[in-house]
Structure formats: C-alpha cells, structure tokens
Amino acid sequence: MRYSLLAGGKRVRPILCLASCELVSGDVSSAMPAACAMEMIHTMSLIHDDLPCMDNDDLRRGKPTNHKVFGEETAILAGDALLSLAFEHVAARTGPKVPADRLVRAIAELGSAVGSEGLVAGQIVDIASEGRDIGLGELEYIHVHKTAKLLEASVVCGAIVGGGSQSEVERVRKYARCVGLLFQVVDDILDVTKSTEELGKTAGKDLASDKATYPKLMGIEKAKEFAGELVEKAIEQLGHFDAARVAPLSHLANYIASRHN
Amino acid sequence: MRYSLLAGGKRVRPILCLASCELVSGDVSSAMPAACAMEMIHTMSLIHDDLPCMDNDDLRRGKPTNHKVFGEETAILAGDALLSLAFEHVAARTGPKVPADRLVRAIAELGSAVGSEGLVAGQIVDIASEGRDIGLGELEYIHVHKTAKLLEASVVCGAIVGGGSQSEVERVRKYARCVGLLFQVVDDILDVTKSTEELGKTAGKDLASDKATYPKLMGIEKAKEFAGELVEKAIEQLGHFDAARVAPLSHLANYIASRHN
C-alpha cells in the first residue's frame, strides 16, 4: 500500500479536492482526509489496472509496478485495502468540525466514482475495446469513467466537505468534467510525443496495444486544439466565484493542459 | 457482480446485521442497506480469494467461480465495484430516518473490517502461511481477520444504525467475536467431514493445500468441544438484552454451530 501510494505522482486529485474546498471558503485542513482518499482510490485503480490480466504494465511513476515487486496476490489485496481505507479515512478522520451529513454525501459521491458507473465501468469497456475499432463516443465513455469521474469526485467532495451550496457544487462539477476530459486528451498526446524516461511510464503503449486515443482518432493537431477549448470552458465555470479564490483551480487547468509527463 | 452476489449463500452477515438492529429496538428496514453492504463485501472477498493467484478455486456456492465464467480481469473489477458499492449503498440508501453521524460510524466500522487490519490482513497472512507449519496463535489471527471481523462489523453496524447505546454496541461486539471464531472452527470441521456435493464447494481443500485448521491442530473431537464452548460464551453476552429480542441472535449462534454446509 505504501509502496504505490507514496511513489510520488502529481497528486492532481488531492490538490483539486483541497482547492475546491478553498474555493467555497471551507477550512482546507478538514478536506485533507477526503483529499488523501482520492489519492488512495487513484493508486488502487493504477495497481489493479497494471496487473498482468489487465494492462500488464511493468513501470509506473518511474518504478516497477506493484505486482512486479510484491506479486499479483499482494498487489490485488493492496488495492482492495487502499479502496476500503479511502472510505474509512473520510468517515473516521475528518473530525467533528464537518457535519456528518456532508461526510455521508461525500462518501456516496466517492462510491459512485469508483463502482460500476465509474472507474470500473471505464476499465471494463477499455478492456473490451482493445484490438477493436471504436469511435469517439466510446472513447469518451472510457475516459469519462476511467479518469474524469474521479477528478470530478475530488472537486465535488472538496466543495461538499467545505460547505459549498448546491449550486456551487454543481458549478465545480462542470469545471471538473472539462478538466477530466482535458486530462485524458493530454495523456493521449503525451503517450505519442514523449519518451518513456520523460513520462516515467512506458511510452507509445497505446499505439502498440492498438488502443483508441484522441491523436489517433482526430489527429495530433486537432487533439491539441480540443485540449485548448476544454481549458477555456473549464475556467469559464469558475467565473461565479470570488476572483481571489479562483486562482488555484484556474492555474491547475492550465497546468494540466501544459504538463509534460 | 450479480452472478456472485445473487448466487445464494447463507446470508449470515445480513441476518446478523438485521437481528442486531432489532436487538437494540431499531427499525429493521433502516438497517437493510448496511445488511446488503455486508453481503457485497463478503462476496467481493470470495471473488478475489478464489482467483488463480490466490486460492485458485473453481467452485463456489455450488457454481463455477467468477473468474471461471467471466475471466480474471472482470472478476477483479467486479470485486472492486462490489466493495465500493457497499460503502456507497450505506451512505446513499439508508434514508433520512437514520441520523448521519450513525452512518459515518457504521462506514468507519465497515472500512476497518475490510482493510489492512481486517479481511486483507487475514488473507495476506493466510497466503504467507501456506505450505508452512503455523501454530494456533497464527491460525486464530487468520480467522479473526478473514472471517470474524466482518461478522463483527455486521453485528456492530446493525446495532449502530439501530441506535444502540455505546455499551450495547460493545456487548454485541463481544457476541460477534465468539460467533466469528465459531464460524471458522465449524468451517474447518466441515471441510474434513463433508463431501464436495454437501458443501457446494471443493471439500478437503485445506488438507490438500496443507493449510492449518482447527481439526489439524487440536484434533477433530477437541475442535468440536471448542465450538460448543464458543456458542455458550456468545449466548452469555446476550443476557443483558430484552429476552424476547434475543431469540434471533441466540438461534443464529446455534445454527452456525450445527450447520452442515
């Protein structure tokens, strides 16, 4: 659990969660357990996705994948324990300053991001699509579920824990949907334009496994244009909030668009 | 998810959860989501434990195991989704009659029953013990974590959701610890005394894989005696409650002791 959780990474989900809590004027420290839960769930999905029967990947965050070091059975169980710990952590560690009804809403949001209408749905369709021609619609389904839903949950849970109103929560949800899609488009672009050393994970893997990607389906230039549109649309959603509190989330959208690994 | 969750089984955990809610005079219908969550988690642990890299089992509840029917990757993902759904179900489906702070406590309890101090801990030590001589202490560690913790969580969550006092919750916890151990002792006895047809799962498997079991470590007669002592101790804990409400949980302890599959 520690090996994969503490292997570094960009911590985009925890940052989104804390920034969103701040956006709605919440106490950032009270969103820390939720922020950690996002990273636990993300890490769990990476460990399980890397397994031999899934994407069969040897390298992750610049280090050998979990099952390469500890064996398949331990990797599966580490993922299970991280998933369970994520929920437990939010429930047991958030502290009494946050009303319990907010925690219950955040936990329900978290659950729907992981299960058969979230991460797992995306991974199932992703696996089923390998070696088969798929269209943009199906590609988007995969990314919305594999990537965007957890980014969305990160932002939404931050806003819920921070005490945001229902309409504020829905606004950050829209922001997160754009950023989620953006994240995957950029990932796809990096996979074909960067080296394994630059990425810290195996480059060119999507091409080799004949996976559908945005550059493959719309060409690299159009994919970059699409990324630009998504950044704009994301930042638009933040217009309703206090300008001084918007900076972290607008910078984050720009960072995701311009990242190099 | 449906294939394994709806494959039958004794539903001991949901029954324990509902009976415990009733014991503390709670509204039984409000404990139904928690009861279902227990079965989801139990099913998830069976799916993952049956995988080729774990116990490599072909038969479960009289049917081919999940990975035999759907493949390893789908089996892993079905387990992940069931685990996540369990938490989501308690948070999103319990309804407004149960105060949110009870749900948060129940979710924390659930999490600790699954993670690195619960089911996963038991399975890790179980795997590490195969083909190696272990003592009664280590055997008990495995069973407390693999089996007893989730039975305990079922009873404790039922009492929490039902509005039991702290001392009532601790009394049902003690009951559950005895029943949890009892459950495993009986399981071990059945493995060596019953046929595959009678059990609905592969019989004699513990012996074949050289696993430590109670009959192996203390002999079949002493193991049966130990089971008898555990039933008595479990029922003793119920003495503090209203006699009319105690029947389901005391019968259940007797049922677990005398079950044949």
Side-chain angles (χ1 to χ4, degrees), chain B residues 126-177:
Chain B
D126 192 14
I127 289 169
S129 77
E130 264 180 65
R132 197 164 61 75
D133 273 343
I134 64 167
L136 258 184
E138 202 169 348
L139 176 64
E140 212 159 287
Y141 180 94
I142 294 170
H143 295 329
V144 162
H145 290 80
K146 271 194 78 166
T147 309
K149 284 245 170 176
L150 189 58
L151 293 168
E152 182 182 322
S154 305
V155 174
V156 168
C157 285
I160 290 174
V161 171
S165 70
Q166 199 56 49
S167 73
E168 284 177 325
V169 168
E170 287 318 306
R171 265 174 214 138
V172 296
R173 192 188 291 283
K174 278 184 200 154
Y175 160 88
R177 288 196 174 154

Side-chain angles (χ1 to χ4, degrees), chain B residues 100-241:
Chain B
D101 66 299
R102 286 191 205 161
L103 292 188
V104 170
R105 278 168 64 206
I107 287 164
E109 185 78 30
L110 209 53
S112 82
V114 181
S116 58
E117 297 182 353
L119 283 174
V120 167
Q123 181 68 359
I124 285 277
V125 176
D126 192 14
I127 289 169
S129 77
E130 264 180 65
R132 197 164 61 75
D133 273 343
I134 64 167
L136 258 184
E138 202 169 348
L139 176 64
E140 212 159 287
Y141 180 94
I142 294 170
H143 295 329
V144 162
H145 290 80
K146 271 194 78 166
T147 309
K149 284 245 170 176
L150 189 58
L151 293 168
E152 182 182 322
S154 305
V155 174
V156 168
C157 285
I160 290 174
V161 171
S165 70
Q166 199 56 49
S167 73
E168 284 177 325
V169 168
E170 287 318 306
R171 265 174 214 138
V172 296
R173 192 188 291 283
K174 278 184 200 154
Y175 160 88
R177 288 196 174 154
C178 295
V179 169
L181 200 49
L182 173 66
F183 197 84
Q184 190 58 51
V185 175
V186 173
D187 226 44
D188 284 358
I189 294 171
L190 290 174
D191 184 74
V192 290
T193 57
K194 297 286 176 179
S195 70
T196 297
E197 289 74 39
E198 286 171 301
L199 292 180
K201 62 181 177 184
T202 316
K205 212 174 144 47
D206 295 339
L207 218 60
S209 66
D210 201 27
K211 261 195 195 172
T213 66
Y214 285 95
K216 190 182 159 197
L217 288 178
M218 42 168 62
I220 190 92
E221 285 314 313
K222 270 251 179 291
K224 284 179 179 174
E225 259 175 52
F226 185 42
E229 288 163 24
L230 286 167
V231 186
E232 264 182 52
K233 219 172 133 189
I235 291 174
E236 219 178 273
Q237 310 298 329
L238 302 173
H240 300 269
F241 292 92

